[in-house]
């Protein structure tokens, strides 16, 4: 019994398996020091360059992930108020805003963070990002009005333009479909 406990302790501490652990094969012996050393750079550096505007607009993921979190919270409260009769909303509001409100904010944040990495290009910052954020905000207010609901249609095509400019500019053929998918999502809206 004591031998089994000692063996288990060794396995947990990776002392018994350390010579055989590696990121590509369990058959190649490696040293204990290389197990503890970092191997893969994850590239989470702050955006570089000469941008001196508001910090929130220094990288596209910042405003959109913040807005997605805030909108999810506010959306729940708003929907509960509608269910209890305090606010009049059409039945389709909840589903539409889950996809084209919260979903597109999250998607925009992801696209603004990932596409510059895919294309090795400069991240969207400043005025173009502020316009994209303003179009998303405008769409959230516009869906509550029958006459202005068409304003919700402006965000995704502009996002497709910004993403497409980076992807096509870099010649990143593997991702040429991404702006097209964003335009299809805009058509569905």
């Amino acid at each position: 019994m004591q031998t089994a406990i000692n063996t288990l302790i060794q396995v947990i501490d990776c002392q018994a398996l350390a010579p055989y652990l590696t990121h590509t094969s369990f058959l190649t012996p490696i040293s204990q020091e290389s197990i503890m050393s970092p191997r893969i750079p994850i590239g989470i550096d702050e955006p570089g360059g000469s941008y001196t505007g508001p910090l929130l607009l220094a990288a596209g993921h910042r405003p959109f992930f913040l807005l997605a979190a805030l909108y999810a919270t506010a959306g729940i409260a708003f929907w509960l108020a509608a269910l209890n009769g305090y606010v009049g909303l059409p039945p389709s509001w909840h589903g539409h805003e889950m996809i084209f409100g919260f979903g597109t904010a999250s998607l925009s944040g992801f696209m603004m963070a990932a596409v510059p990495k895919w294309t090795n290009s400069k991240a969207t910052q400043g005025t173009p990002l502020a316009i994209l954020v303003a179009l998303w905000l405008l769409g959230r207010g516009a869906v509550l009005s029958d006459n202005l609901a068409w304003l919700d249609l402006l965000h995704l095509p502009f996002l497709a333009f910004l993403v497409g400019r980076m992807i096509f500019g870099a010649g990143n053929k593997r991702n040429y479909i991404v702006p097209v998918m964003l335009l299809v999502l805009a058509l569905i809206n």
Side-chain angles (χ1 to χ4, degrees):
M1 182 70 166
Q2 187 64 34
T3 307
I5 292 172
N6 287 340
T7 304
L8 182 61
I9 290 171
Q10 286 181 340
V11 169
I12 291 172
D13 290 340
C14 293
Q15 293 172 0
L17 298 176
Y20 302 101
L21 294 176
T22 177
H23 70 286
T24 58
S25 170
F26 287 104
L27 303 175
T28 308
I30 58 172
S31 67
Q32 181 73 26
E33 293 80 28
S34 65
I35 291 174
M36 305 309 272
S37 66
R39 295 178 184 209
I40 302 171
I42 56 175
I44 57 171
D45 300 333
E46 287 294 316
S50 60
Y51 180 74
T52 58
L55 190 59
L56 189 63
L57 298 176
H61 67 280
R62 291 177 179 167
F64 281 110
F65 288 155
L66 175 63
L67 286 170
L70 293 175
Y71 195 65
T73 305
I76 291 169
F78 204 55
W79 185 243
L80 287 174
L83 286 176
N84 290 314
Y86 298 115
V87 179
L89 291 176
S92 63
W93 180 86
H94 180 258
H96 180 271
E97 289 306 293
M98 284 297 297
I99 297 170
F100 297 105
F102 172 77
T104 59
S106 302
L107 180 66
S108 297
F110 171 75
M111 287 290 149
M112 292 289 102
V115 173
K117 301 278 188 206
W118 297 345
T119 60
N120 199 24
S121 60
K122 187 177 180 215
T124 302
Q125 301 172 318
T127 303
L129 182 57
I131 292 170
L132 187 63
V133 170
L135 289 174
W136 183 85
L137 288 169
L138 185 65
R140 304 298 47 86
V143 296
L144 297 175
S145 166
D146 290 335
N147 297 333
L148 299 176
W150 63 271
L151 292 172
D152 186 37
L153 302 175
L154 301 176
H155 173 257
L156 284 169
F158 191 63
L159 176 64
F161 166 74
L162 293 175
V163 166
R165 185 176 62 175
M166 287 186 272
I167 290 173
F168 291 118
N172 190 329
K173 293 179 182 177
R174 182 175 84 172
N175 292 313
Y176 280 1
I177 191 71
V178 172
V180 174
M181 291 188 308
L182 291 171
L183 291 174
V184 168
L185 187 59
L187 286 174
I188 293 169
N189 189 11

